[in-house]
Amino acid sequence: MHFLKKVGWKDEPSEETPLDSGNLKALENNVEECIEANIKDVTLSRVDLIAEESTAKGATIDIGASYKVGADSLMVFHEGSLLKKATNNKDEGHYYEVGNANSVSTQIILTEDWGLSTGEILTFIVKGVFESDTE
């Protein structure tokens, strides 16, 4: 994440931070550089998975993309509805992320209370670019 550089404007007229074209141009360049840098940091990947056959409750699914475990980098949708990530067996939710916190994974595990029927669609949105730990 990139942040704007603080100008440090003075409340009273000051030679240190005069309201002139030089300071305004520097402020404008600062904003443009920050926006461009942050846009480069934001990358979204989408993978659609159509179940070719019924998938058992509690099944492990290869999502076809890498994400960072526990970093809120993965969103999972079933037929367009956002699924809830479960964190342990007592949590309500639809899936678990596979791996230790901050590791890179390519799989999820469905919770024990639901599976997929043939033809159902899961969509995976990954925020960021991550290389698999096995590569």
Side-chain angles (χ1 to χ4, degrees):
M1 178 65 72
H2 298 273
F3 299 96
L4 291 173
K5 298 171 196 149
K6 192 168 184 159
V7 174
W9 298 104
K10 306 291 182 193
D11 289 336
E12 301 294 324
S14 167
E15 289 184 19
E16 294 175 35
T17 59
L19 190 57
D20 63 18
S21 63
N23 274 335
L24 292 175
K25 188 65 174 171
L27 179 62
E28 179 182 43
N29 288 339
N30 184 13
V31 169
E32 287 176 355
E33 289 171 9
C34 188
I35 289 171
E36 288 176 16
N38 283 318
I39 287 172
K40 290 177 184 174
D41 286 347
V42 178
T43 302
L44 296 177
S45 302
R46 175 183 172 153
V47 176
D48 291 318
L49 179 94
I50 302 171
E52 294 180 2
E53 57 187 36
S54 293
T55 303
K57 296 175 180 181
T60 299
I61 296 178
D62 187 344
I63 70 169
S66 296
Y67 68 95
K68 186 174 275 194
V69 176
D72 292 326
S73 63
L74 177 65
M75 293 186 295
V76 181
F77 296 84
H78 174 256
E79 301 285 326
S81 296
L82 181 62
L83 298 182
K84 182 180 178 187
K85 177 176 69 172
T87 55
N88 63 47
N89 291 335
K90 296 178 183 173
D91 279 352
E92 291 184 11
H94 302 101
Y95 69 95
Y96 301 97
E97 294 181 347
V98 176
N100 296 320
N102 294 315
S103 66
V104 176
S105 180
T106 60
Q107 297 179 323
I108 63 168
I109 297 175
L110 300 178
T111 56
E112 294 293 329
D113 57 346
W114 75 282
L116 296 173
S117 297
T118 303
E120 290 185 325
I121 300 171
L122 288 179
T123 299
F124 304 96
I125 304 291
V126 177
K127 298 177 279 185
V129 177
F130 307 98
E131 292 187 25
S132 175
D133 286 343
T134 59
E135 291 178 355

